[in-house]
Amino acid sequence: MDVQEGRRQATERHQEYWTRYDGTRQASRQNEGAMGTNIFTPNPKDDDLTPQECAAKLAALPTDPDRLLAHVKGDRHWATKPEGDPGDREHPDARAFRVLSVYLDQEVPVPPKLAAAIFRALARIPAVRTYTGVRDALGRPGIGIVYEPGAPGAPGVGVGYDEKGEVISRSYIVLDPTTYRYLGRRVDYLRDEIINGEVAFRKGSFYASAEVALGVVDKPGQLP
């Protein structure tokens, strides 16, 4: 059994992935090109989950929004730094937003009751903001959700600030405005972003992805 996922990025690059349910094999192609196949040996130290492991993790999560929020604030599965590392100072609200957004961007469907709990939990995070008319890579308008702590230097995962406290970029989760289905991600660069003294991203540019299709098929190359 393979999980097939299609995404389109702002550069008009279309990518398709087929992942075995047990995670041991993945096939992919880009822009209708040749199929490539990789075989994987599970690594117990890797925090990436196979579709099978992810489905089990999602099924075990609480569907009460308050309990879910408390769980993800302390969930270290996708921690950015090892526990005890000097850089491990992620704010619990920032971690909650990041982990909840990771749940929405997986290769397996989120159970409906859990999806409802995720949206309600996101709404309980004080620094989460919503914007309307945010477009994914296909141009589909949606609801943009971002973690926006509102102060330079504040630990965040959605907004970038410069040394003057000006907002440089804003990174959204994009949801369908009617069904709330996950559509993709978008980063808008509101100012030039300088990395190592050079302009890495120009003001007015953006990155976007779009989830085109997701489903279960029998073998690589089949479409849901």
Side-chain angles (χ1 to χ4, degrees):
M1 182 183 298
D2 293 274
V3 177
Q4 189 276 341
E5 180 179 26
R7 296 174 184 272
R8 186 177 297 278
Q9 298 181 324
T11 56
E12 295 302 317
R13 182 175 61 193
H14 183 246
Q15 298 172 304
E16 295 175 87
Y17 301 92
W18 290 263
T19 305
R20 275 182 58 94
Y21 195 55
D22 62 6
T24 59
R25 186 183 298 268
Q26 186 180 77
S28 64
R29 66 183 173 198
Q30 183 171 299
N31 295 337
E32 313 303 331
M35 183 81 68
T37 302
N38 292 306
I39 298 174
F40 298 97
T41 301
N43 181 355
K45 296 181 180 180
D46 192 345
D47 64 0
D48 287 338
L49 299 176
T50 68
Q52 186 173 22
E53 291 170 334
C54 184
K57 184 176 182 67
L58 294 179
L61 290 172
T63 55
D64 174 80
D66 292 317
R67 289 179 57 210
L68 178 62
L69 190 58
H71 173 80
V72 295
K73 285 184 177 182
D75 189 345
R76 295 203 54 81
H77 182 85
W78 284 292
T80 56
K81 299 286 185 179
E83 191 166 14
D85 188 290
D88 182 35
R89 299 190 183 93
E90 188 176 27
H91 191 281
D93 285 346
R95 176 179 296 169
F97 178 83
R98 183 170 57 80
V99 173
L100 290 172
S101 67
V102 168
Y103 290 159
L104 294 173
D105 188 21
Q106 292 299 303
E107 294 180 328
V108 295
V110 178
K113 289 184 178 180
L114 177 60
I118 289 174
F119 298 142
R120 293 188 175 103
L122 286 168
R124 284 164 165 75
I125 301 174
V128 167
R129 305 286 182 264
T130 59
Y131 295 83
T132 59
V134 178
R135 296 183 180 273
D136 68 6
L138 289 176
R140 298 176 295 188
I143 299 171
I145 302 178
V146 62
Y147 179 77
E148 195 166 13
V157 290
V159 174
Y161 298 95
D162 64 14
E163 66 278 1
K164 297 179 181 178
E166 302 286 349
V167 176
I168 300 173
S169 63
R170 185 174 283 121
S171 178
Y172 308 92
I173 304 168
V174 186
L175 305 178
D176 184 282
T178 302
T179 65
Y180 302 108
R181 183 175 73 86
Y182 177 82
L183 297 181
R185 291 182 175 273
R186 181 184 177 99
V187 181
D188 284 330
Y189 294 94
L190 309 179
R191 296 176 180 273
D192 288 351
E193 181 160 330
I194 310 298
I195 298 178
N196 296 326
E198 297 183 357
V199 177
F201 301 98
R202 292 286 181 186
K203 176 182 177 180
S205 65
F206 71 94
Y207 162 83
S209 68
E211 186 172 89
V212 180
L214 177 67
V216 178
V217 296
D218 292 326
K219 61 182 180 180
Q222 290 184 334
L223 298 178

